[in-house]
Amino acid sequence: MPSESRPPLFSIRVAPPRIVRQLLGAGAVAFVVILWWLATIGSSPEARFISPVILPSPREVIGSFSSLLNERALVQSIAATLKRVLIGFGLAIFFGVPLGILAGSWRIVEASAAPLALFGRNLPVAALIPLTILWFGIDETQKVMFIFVACVPFVYSAAVSAIAGVPDRYVETAQTLGASPLQIVSKVLVALALPDIYDSLRHLFGMAFGYIMLAELINAKYGLGYLLMTSQRRGLSEHIILILLIIGLLAFGIDRALFWLQRGLFPYRAVEE
Amino acid sequence: MANGQPKPIFYVAVFLVILGLVGVAIWRFGAAGPGGGGGQFSSDELKQLAGNAGKAEKPDSSGITTVKEYNFVATAKLPEVKGISSYTPMIDRTVRFAINVWAGWGPIIYANNGFKPGRVWKTPGGKDFKLELVLIDDPVAMRDAFAAGNLHVGWATLDMVPLFLEGLRKDSRVMPRIYQQVDWSNGGDGIVVREAIKTMADLRGKTVVLAQNSPSHFFVLNALINGGVQPAEVDFKFTQDAFQAAAAFNADKRLAGAVSWAPDIYNLEKIKGNRLMVTTATANKLIADVWFARADFAKDNPDIMEGIVRGIFDAMQDLKAQDAKQKVAKLMATGYSVPESDALGMLGDAHSTNYAENRDFFLNQNNPTNFERTWNTAYFLYKKINAVTQQTPFDQVMDFSVIQKLGSEPKYASQKNEYDVQFAPTTAGAVGEKDEILTKTVVIHFFPNSWDLNKKITRTADGKDVEELYDPNVGFVVEEIGKLAGQYGAARIVIEGHTDSSMRGNAPKSVVQELSLNRANSVKEAMVRKFPSLQPNQFSTAGIGWDRPADPADPENHAKNRRVEIKVYPAESPTAAK
C-alpha cells in the first residue's frame, strides 16, 4: 500500500523512483489476489462468497496448470498462436511498411490510398471472419490472412504518419545539399522515421495478438484462442483464468523483448516505457 | 381393426393370449433355475417366432410389457441443494426462461403470447407468475448466464447437458433439473455430403465440418460410431456454429460433409453434387430438446415448475389447430426477427412431445430412446472424444415428479403417443435397393448350428458345474441395436445374418443360408421383445450365409465372419416401396 507521508511521490508528473514503482505494481497485484482469495474461500462450494462455477479459487486455478500443460497441449498452442501472429503480422509489415513509406513520401499516393486505409482501419475486425472464411477457407491460410487483413491498414497508416512526421527542415537540408528524391527518401525520411515506425509496430503487435483469438475460434487444433474457447465450452473456468494469465504474461514478455531490441537498434532515439 | 371398433371376440382372444403368455412366463421362470434370467427361449419356440417373422403380423403381446416404469421417487435421487439460493430474485414474479431460435419453443411462445412477460400464468395452487422468454442462441453464453443466476430456466438438447455439467456440477445450486421434453428434432438437423459419399463408412479419412460440442456433433458421432467408424478416422473441422459449417461446406469443395440445421441443409441439398444423407426426420428420436431449471430455483418454486409444464402441454394441444399455428408463427416471427412464412415453415423441424410421449421418455424403462439411454449415449460419445470427464448419473438431473403427478389427471393420462411411424411390411430385398445410411456390425457368437441367442452351456468352474450363456454379450448387443433402431425411428432396418465358410463343401449352401436367416430373425425377435415399442415391421431380415465375408481381403477369418449386420436405410424411398 502506498505510504501517505512522502510528498514527492504525489508531485504532479514526477516519476517515482524505480524501486517504489515496482513495489507499487507488485502491491496492486497482491491486493487483487488477496481479494480474489477472500471471495473464494469457504468450506463448501455453496458457502463461498462467489460460487466456484463463476470464479474458481487461486488454489484451484494453480492446481489445474498441470492438466492444461499436459492434457491440453499448452505448449503447442502457444507455438501455434505465435506462428500465426508472426506470419500474419510479418506479411502486414512486408506490404504495409513499404507502401506507407511510399505514400508518406509522395503524398499523391497517400491521397489515393486514404479512403481505403480509413475504411480498413474502421472495419470491425470480427466482421471480417465470415469473409475470410469465404475467401481463404477454414485452414491456416484463413487465420494468417485474417491477421494480415486486419493489421495491414494500421501498419500502413503508422508508416505514413511516421514519414509525414519527419520535420521539413531535414528534407530541406538534404535538398540544399543536392540529394536526389530517392536519396532523400532512403537517407533522410526512412532513416528518421524508422524508430517511430518500429515503436508503432511494437504497439500494433499487441493488437494482432488480440485479433488471433478471434481467428482461432474456427477450426483450430491448437492455439490459445482455441484453448480458451474449448475451456469456455466445457465450463473449465480454472483453465480460462490460467490462459488469460498466460496471454498477459506472453504479451508482456514479447513487448519487453521488442522494447529491449528497440533500444539496441535505435540508440539515438530515447523511448519511454 | 381398420374400422376402429373391436368386436367382443377380440377381447376374449387378447385375454387368452395374455393368460397364455403369463402362464408360459411363470413356467419358464420356474424352469430357468438359480441365476437364470428371464427371456430364454427353447429353440423350438424360437423357430416358431422366427417362422412368424416372415408373416404379416405376429400376435400382439405388447399390452402387458410395453411400459416398465421407474419405481424410485425422483426427489430421493436428486442431489441435495445446499447453501442459500443464489439466483437473481424474480421481479414481479417473472421467471426468466432462455430459449433459442428453434421450432420446439412454439408451444411456450404460444402459451406466453410472445416473448415479453405479459400473460399471467397460474401455479396449480392458483398463484400468479409471469414468464419472460430470453433469446440466447449461443449455448455457452446461455449456460454462463444460467450459472450466474441471471436466468432461472435454460434450454438445451439433452445431449448437451453432460457438457454443461462439467462446469455446473461444482455447485449444487446450479445443477440442472430437467422437468420436460419439449420436442424431438424432426428434420431440423442433418448431415449433407458430396455425392460420392454413399454411407457413413465412406466418410472414413474424409473431412467433415460442424460446430463442436453441439447437437450436430452428437448426431454425427453417433452415426459414425454406429457405422463402424471411429472419430479419429474422420478429420473434423470445427466452426463456431452450424451456420458457419454450412457456409464453409459451400465454399470449400474439399470438405466431404457438413452437419448443420434447417434451412441450410435443405439449401445445400439443392446444389448439384451434394446430397442430404440423413436428417432427424429419419433419426427422429435422437435429439431431444428439454428445458431445465436451476436446482435452487426449482426447490424454492416447485409450483412454478409444475405450472410451466402444464402450460406447455396445454399449448401443444392448442397448436393442433391451424389458426393457433398461424398465431404462433406471427409471435415467433416477431421474437426471432424472421419472416412469418419462415416461422411457419420452421414449425415442421420439430415434433412437440405431448404428455404421453414425455411419460414414455422420462419414465418408461423399456423405451429404447428414453431419457436414461439418450443420456448415456451422450456420455458414451463425449467420453470417446474426451469432451467429458466423470459421468453424472441421469437421475441426478432428471426430475419426473411433475410428469408422474399429471398422470392422475385424465386430461393428460388420456393422451396418446402420436409420434410413432407406421411401417408397412416389406422385404429386405426391397429395402436394400438404395444405399444404406450406415451399417452396424455386431458379433454374436452362436452355438454351432444354433440360432438360439440365449443358448446356455455348462462349464466347470472350481469343481462345480456352472451354466452360463454361450455368448454373455448378447444382452449388450441387443440393447445396442435396439437403441439404434429406436433412434432411427423412421428408418427401415435390415438385419442380415452371416455365417463363416468353415463348412463350405460339406454343407449345402441353402442350409447355411437358412441358418443365417434364423439367426437374423432371432436377433429381431430378441430386440422386439426387449423393446416392445419397436414395431416388427420396421425390420426386415435376410440370411446371407457365407457369401459376403466381413473383410473381402481376409475371407477365411471365421470369427469375424460369424456376425449380424444391422443396416439402416432411409425411410420409404421410392424403390423401397415396391
Side-chain angles (χ1 to χ4, degrees), chain A residues 44-54 56 60 71 129-130 133-139 214 216-221 226 229-238 240, chain B residues 82-84 140-141 143-144 147-148 163-164 166-174 209 211-213 235-241 244 247-248 251-252 254-255 386-389:
Chain A
S44 75
E46 291 82 5
R48 293 183 187 185
F49 183 65
I50 299 178
S51 163
V53 176
I54 297 166
E60 284 161 348
E71 290 160 32
I129 293 270
I133 292 179
L134 288 176
W135 294 341
F136 308 110
I138 53 172
D139 295 314
L214 284 173
E216 285 178 342
L217 299 182
I218 294 150
N219 184 37
K221 289 259 166 3
Y226 168 75
M229 176 193 66
T230 46
S231 305
Q232 195 196 4
R233 290 229 158 147
R234 292 173 51 183
L236 298 168
S237 38
E238 297 91 352
I240 295 178
Chain B
K82 298 182 205 129
I84 307 159
V140 175
R143 180 206 62 201
D144 290 348
L163 297 167
F164 288 168
E166 289 290 298
L168 297 182
R169 65 163 173 249
K170 287 178 210 157
D171 187 330
S172 67
R173 296 168 297 184
V174 299
V209 65
Q212 194 174 19
N213 295 355
D235 182 16
F236 289 115
K237 298 229 182 254
F238 296 122
T239 53
Q240 273 292 82
D241 56 43
Q244 282 185 1
D252 189 346
R254 288 169 303 170
L255 299 171
N386 296 321
V388 289
T389 46

Side-chain angles (χ1 to χ4, degrees), chain B residues 163-231:
Chain B
L163 297 167
F164 288 168
L165 281 184
E166 289 290 298
L168 297 182
R169 65 163 173 249
K170 287 178 210 157
D171 187 330
S172 67
R173 296 168 297 184
V174 299
M175 277 292 280
R177 290 275 192 277
I178 303 177
Y179 283 92
Q180 189 176 27
Q181 178 192 15
V182 292
D183 67 81
W184 284 113
S185 172
N186 185 16
D189 302 77
I191 304 175
V192 189
V193 291
R194 305 296 178 199
E195 235 152 29
I197 308 291
K198 300 296 181 201
T199 78
M200 289 310 290
D202 293 338
L203 285 173
R204 196 175 271 129
K206 298 285 196 307
T207 309
V208 176
V209 65
L210 69 154
Q212 194 174 19
N213 295 355
S214 65
S216 301
H217 206 170
F218 173 69
F219 189 6
V220 76
L221 283 175
N222 187 59
L224 284 170
I225 288 176
N226 275 313
V229 184
Q230 291 305 306

Side-chain angles (χ1 to χ4, degrees), chain A residues 91-150:
Chain A
L91 278 176
I93 294 175
F94 185 80
F95 289 99
V97 170
L99 217 65
I101 292 172
L102 208 68
S105 309
W106 287 277
R107 302 307 290 262
I108 191 163
V109 181
E110 193 265 339
S112 52
L116 285 177
L118 185 81
F119 177 73
R121 285 199 314 270
N122 287 291
L123 268 184
V125 271
L128 286 172
I129 293 270
L131 276 187
T132 53
I133 292 179
L134 288 176
W135 294 341
F136 308 110
I138 53 172
D139 295 314
E140 286 303 301
T141 323
Q142 180 255 342
K143 290 164 194 59
V144 168
M145 289 310 286
F146 173 76
I147 294 297
F148 171 72
V149 173

